[in-house]
Amino acid sequence: MTATLDWYGCATFRLRTAEGLTVWLDAYLDRVPDAEQSGVGVDDVTAADWILVGHSHFDHLWGAERIAVRTGATVVGSYESVRVLAAAGVPEEQLLAVAGGERVALDASTSVRVLPSLHSCVWSSQPMPPADEVCLGETGLTLQDRTERMRALWAGFGAMGEDVRAHMKAADQGERGDGGALVFVVETSEGSLLFQDSIGSWSGVLGQQAPDVAILAVAGRGNRDGEPVQGTTADFVTEQTAALGARTVVPCHHDDWLPGFSRAIDTAPVRAAIDRAAPGTALVDLGYASGYALFR
């Protein structure tokens, strides 16, 4: 056996190691009806040993509570994610709260290192730009400024139709923001996998990593060291790729997961930028549930 990686849309993946361990990366499987469907919902999940949640927003955390209760999986996430899941009925012994800097043993052959990270600048006036669109400005905003912009963003979801309103109501678990975004580096017997579920990072932290494969978010206004990226998404993803030195990059969060807010991101500009700046790295676009052989 060899490790496989399946993508189920947005930033949700299933990793199966060579030893048979099943690790879910995020858990957002039940999508609004108008979104393209992966064919797998939460009720279809019968196996999970661990769930690693990158941050507390509904499009990453929602579903983890049901998978954990049904399968007995242990969830690793921020203190906010753990608070939400405990309130949803996940037993405390199945919850591990982390903040970055921890190493968690998943089995005898697999461990995960937790790194502090950053959420994308979703409060930007350009929250979902095309990958080759240059975004400038909006630096120096206070937390209060950003919070006010976020209120306006969430209020806009109510105008997106009855299906979206019903979806948002079902997915509302009372999370208080993103809870502090995290990046995970899963170290297996065959190689290492870095998982980033939102397009933001501390450059000094990410630059210390050297995974074999990196899952990188390629949608949203990038966040470098707490300020919005001045330039394109493609260039920021390439900057991160070059810093990591991974031989393979798998994009995520780039499908149209919430029509009316999200958009399908064309990854061709990202591929072209990586080819120029990091020619030894391959960008591998996965289809849904494709069973990609991760370290071959």
Side-chain angles (χ1 to χ4, degrees), residues 20-277:
L21 190 73
T22 299
V23 182
W24 285 87
L25 310 174
D26 284 354
Y28 184 55
L29 292 165
D30 294 342
R31 293 147 71 106
V32 68
D34 283 349
E36 185 179 1
Q37 303 296 312
S38 72
V40 174
V42 167
D43 289 342
D44 300 312
V45 177
T46 58
D49 297 301
W50 294 85
I51 307 170
L52 311 180
V53 179
H55 66 277
S56 307
H57 286 159
F58 76 95
D59 53 317
H60 301 266
L61 181 61
W62 190 49
E65 74 292 341
R66 286 163 286 159
I67 294 173
V69 168
R70 183 185 306 115
T71 65
T74 301
V75 186
V76 181
S78 70
Y79 283 80
E80 177 63 8
S81 292
V82 163
R83 182 193 70 80
V84 168
L85 294 176
V90 179
E92 293 283 352
E93 60 269 22
Q94 289 177 234
L95 297 170
L96 282 181
V98 292
E102 302 88 351
R103 181 189 293 271
V104 180
L106 304 186
D107 69 4
S109 303
T110 313
S111 64
V112 60
R113 288 187 293 112
V114 187
L115 307 175
S117 191
L118 290 167
H119 196 280
S120 70
C121 299
V122 70
W123 42 264
S124 169
S125 60
Q126 301 157 293
M128 289 283 176
D132 57 353
E133 180 176 308
V134 175
C135 297
L136 300 173
E138 301 185 287
T139 60
L141 295 179
T142 65
L143 175 61
Q144 291 91 332
D145 294 331
R146 295 178 181 187
T147 300
E148 195 59 38
R149 290 182 176 208
M150 283 296 294
R151 287 196 187 99
L153 175 70
W154 292 120
F157 286 158
M160 290 169 55
E162 182 56 40
D163 282 344
V164 172
R165 285 194 294 273
H167 183 76
M168 297 299 290
K169 182 178 180 180
D172 182 3
Q173 296 180 291
E175 68 271 16
R176 298 166 184 165
D178 61 53
L182 302 168
V183 159
F184 299 100
V185 181
V186 184
E187 297 170 327
T188 79
S189 62
E190 295 181 291
S192 58
L193 169 69
L194 181 142
F195 172 56
Q196 175 205 71
D197 72 351
S198 188
I199 187 168
S201 63
W202 293 106
S203 55
V205 174
L206 206 69
Q208 297 297 312
Q209 311 310 311
D212 297 299
V213 180
I215 298 172
L216 296 178
V218 300
R221 180 82 183 269
N223 184 341
R224 181 197 295 112
D225 300 332
E227 289 288 356
V229 167
Q230 304 298 297
T232 70
T233 294
D235 286 342
F236 181 53
V237 174
T238 300
E239 173 190 314
Q240 295 179 104
T241 298
L244 290 168
R247 68 171 183 262
T248 304
V249 167
V250 176
C252 75
H253 223 319
H254 57 299
D255 58 342
D256 195 6
W257 54 274
L258 189 66
F261 170 70
S262 61
R263 68 169 80 200
I265 301 296
D266 181 5
T267 60
V270 181
R271 187 186 304 276
I274 288 175
D275 285 346
R276 289 192 300 270

